[in-house]
Structures are given as structure tokens and as C-alpha cells.
Amino acid sequence: MFEDKTLYIKQLKPYLYLFDENHECTGYLVIGDKKAALIDTMMGYHNYKEEIRKITDKPVMVINTHGHPDHIYGNVFFDEAYISSNDLDLAIDTCKDPEFVEVCEEEGFSMPPFKEIKGGDVVDLGGKTLEVYDIPGHTPGGILLLLKEDRILFTGDAINHHLWLQLPHTVPYEQCIEGIDKVLFLEKEADVILHGHARDYDDISLMRCVRDAIQEILDGKNDADTDYTWFMGVCKQHPFKVEAGKHYQQEDHVIVYDQSKLS
């Protein structure tokens, strides 16, 4: 059914794989000595369980960074998936999309149960440890995952180069700032970011750059912002700068936002 969709698998380290789903969204496979974790399951265009079995025979734990379709639809290939309780309602509503329901009925798929994961939890994969941190913003229940031994931070869509904050369920922008401020100490714990639409690493400084860009919007430093058209209408986009001399995997950086949400 998805013959025109391509799954690109890139090995970043002996135990770390990037799954690029048709250049639309990204998931990550982290392999420990005891088990593996799949961070986000993308759109479900391919049977990721079968693809993972070509790489490792270890048990696989599925962790969703948030409840949007391009991060959870591939859950259908697994027995269970972990998500923040603050995004559970969003995830359930996402799975009621008529097109998704139709495909599931045609293919005999069903969504497995969600189990709770939250900030403060630690996932022991055996020699590889994922620490969980809450980051409300893009969605109320977004989470970060720190691969502690290797100083890699998986951020889902909460920190990326094209951050959507115009969505109806996005938290107020002041709370976005507060959420990032609470985890900024991770600048000292991680060197690089892998986000939910990446094809390579970004320097950890992207987190602070995103934070400062949202603050610029709140401070009214948005005279040069332009219109942004998306499937629910027209909003605004705010370009932001990144740090000179650091490695980023793309050159354009914007925050997409809704002017009506500014107090």
C-alpha cells in the first residue's frame, strides 16, 4: 500500500540507528546489552519490527516522545508503547483519524495499549541508560530522552529547527519557556541533539537557540516575521539564529506560532 514510501536506515554508532521515514519523520533504535528501545515509530509506512529484527534479536521497548501521528502510528507493529500521560488524550484522538482507522481495518492492524512514562524515569537497556525529562511545549506531554553514557539527547519535536507552536494543543508560550528552562542544565549532560525530523546530529546549543527565539516572539521582536500557510490556515513564522561555529544539520531555523496566543 505504501510502495512509494522509502525507509532510509542510517547507522550512527554500533548501537544506534536512525530510521528516516520517507524524509517525513525520524525514529531511533538504541541497542543495549539486554534490550533495545525504539524512540518514536513514525507513520507506519513500513513494518519496523521486521526491519529491527534484521539488526538485532533483542526485545524492543517502544517509547513515543509525544502523541502526534508521525511519531506513534507505527506502534501498530508492536505489543505496547510508552507515552507521557499528559499526551495520552492527544494520542488517543490522533488514532481516531478516519484515514488511519480505515488503513488499520484494511490491513488488520490495531493500536497496542499505551503505558505511562514520565520525567524522572530511567530506562536501563543494559550498558545504555535513557533518562526521561518532561518538556511541555509543542504538546503538553512531550518528553526528552538522554542517552547518558553517550551524551546524546533525543528531543522528538520539542526542540528542532522547524518548531510548530501554532497547534491548538500547544501550551502557552510562557510555559514553553519555563519548560525549556527546567531542562537547560542538560547542556552540560549532552553534546548533541537528535530530533524527530533529523537526518544527522545537531549541536546541543540548538536547545538554547530555540528557547531564545520563543522569548523574542514574546518580547515582540517579530516585525520581520512572515506568513506561514499550513493545513489549518495562516499563522506566522519567526526565523532565528544559531551559534556560529557549531554543527547543525540544516540551515533554516524557524518557530511557527499563532499571534492570537500572544498575551
Side-chain angles (χ1 to χ4, degrees):
M1 185 170 184
F2 302 116
E3 291 86 358
D4 60 335
K5 305 295 185 180
T6 301
L7 178 63
Y8 305 91
I9 300 178
K10 180 180 180 181
Q11 185 173 8
L12 300 178
K13 293 180 180 292
Y15 50 83
L16 176 60
Y17 292 78
L18 182 156
F19 283 39
D20 174 1
E21 184 66 279
N22 206 54
H23 300 330
E24 296 178 28
C25 46
T26 306
Y28 300 95
L29 178 67
V30 183
I31 305 171
D33 296 332
K34 300 177 183 176
K35 61 182 178 179
L38 179 61
I39 301 171
D40 287 336
T41 60
M42 301 154 281
M43 286 295 295
Y45 296 149
H46 296 83
N47 187 325
Y48 313 117
K49 190 172 186 178
E50 291 183 355
E51 296 297 331
I52 290 171
R53 283 293 163 258
K54 299 174 185 177
I55 299 170
T56 180
D57 60 359
K58 292 184 171 66
V60 180
M61 175 183 183
V62 173
I63 304 173
N64 300 137
T65 60
H66 61 292
H68 283 156
D70 52 338
H71 298 263
I72 70 170
Y73 275 177
N75 290 6
V76 296
F77 299 110
F78 300 91
D79 297 327
E80 63 184 24
Y82 288 79
I83 197 168
S84 166
S85 61
N86 292 323
D87 258 22
L88 182 57
D89 288 344
L90 172 62
I92 291 173
D93 286 344
T94 294
C95 295
K96 294 177 181 177
D97 178 86
E99 290 186 16
F100 178 67
V101 171
E102 182 180 357
V103 171
C104 285
E105 290 177 350
E106 290 176 354
E107 300 294 330
F109 295 153
S110 62
M111 285 296 282
F114 288 106
K115 303 183 99 174
E116 182 183 7
I117 196 168
K118 62 185 181 304
D121 287 347
V122 177
V123 178
D124 180 7
L125 301 176
K128 300 294 177 188
T129 308
L130 292 169
E131 295 182 348
V132 183
Y133 298 90
D134 295 319
I135 184 165
H138 176 66
T139 66
I143 61 170
L144 308 176
L145 296 159
L146 174 66
L147 182 53
K148 190 173 181 62
E149 292 82 4
D150 300 276
R151 299 178 59 84
I152 299 171
L153 187 65
F154 301 94
T155 64
D157 286 356
I159 303 293
N160 70 66
H161 293 272
H162 196 95
L163 178 57
W164 275 23
L165 295 181
Q166 84 282 18
L167 299 164
H169 48 261
T170 296
V171 306
Y173 299 149
E174 291 84 359
Q175 292 182 27
C176 291
I177 294 287
E178 292 172 3
I180 297 175
D181 283 345
K182 288 180 179 178
V183 295
L184 267 181
F185 70 90
L186 291 172
E187 290 178 309
K188 298 180 180 179
E189 303 295 325
D191 299 317
V192 293
I193 282 171
L194 288 170
H195 66 72
H197 297 271
R199 299 181 200 173
D200 199 354
Y201 298 105
D202 285 295
D203 187 80
I204 189 62
S205 57
L206 179 63
M207 182 162 57
R208 184 175 292 273
C209 295
V210 166
R211 183 252 182 242
D212 292 345
I214 301 171
Q215 188 65 59
E216 287 174 355
I217 295 170
L218 287 172
D219 292 343
K221 298 177 181 178
N222 52 5
D223 292 341
D225 292 358
T226 57
D227 288 344
Y228 181 88
T229 302
W230 64 304
F231 59 83
M232 288 185 66
V234 179
C235 54
K236 289 291 184 180
Q237 57 183 338
H238 178 73
F240 65 91
K241 296 180 180 179
V242 291
E243 293 187 12
K246 304 290 187 180
H247 173 75
Y248 305 99
Q249 52 99 37
Q250 66 187 76
E251 296 181 356
D252 58 311
H253 327 284
V254 298
I255 306 291
V256 180
Y257 68 98
D258 182 351
Q259 283 181 299
S260 69
K261 290 187 176 186
L262 298 176
S263 57

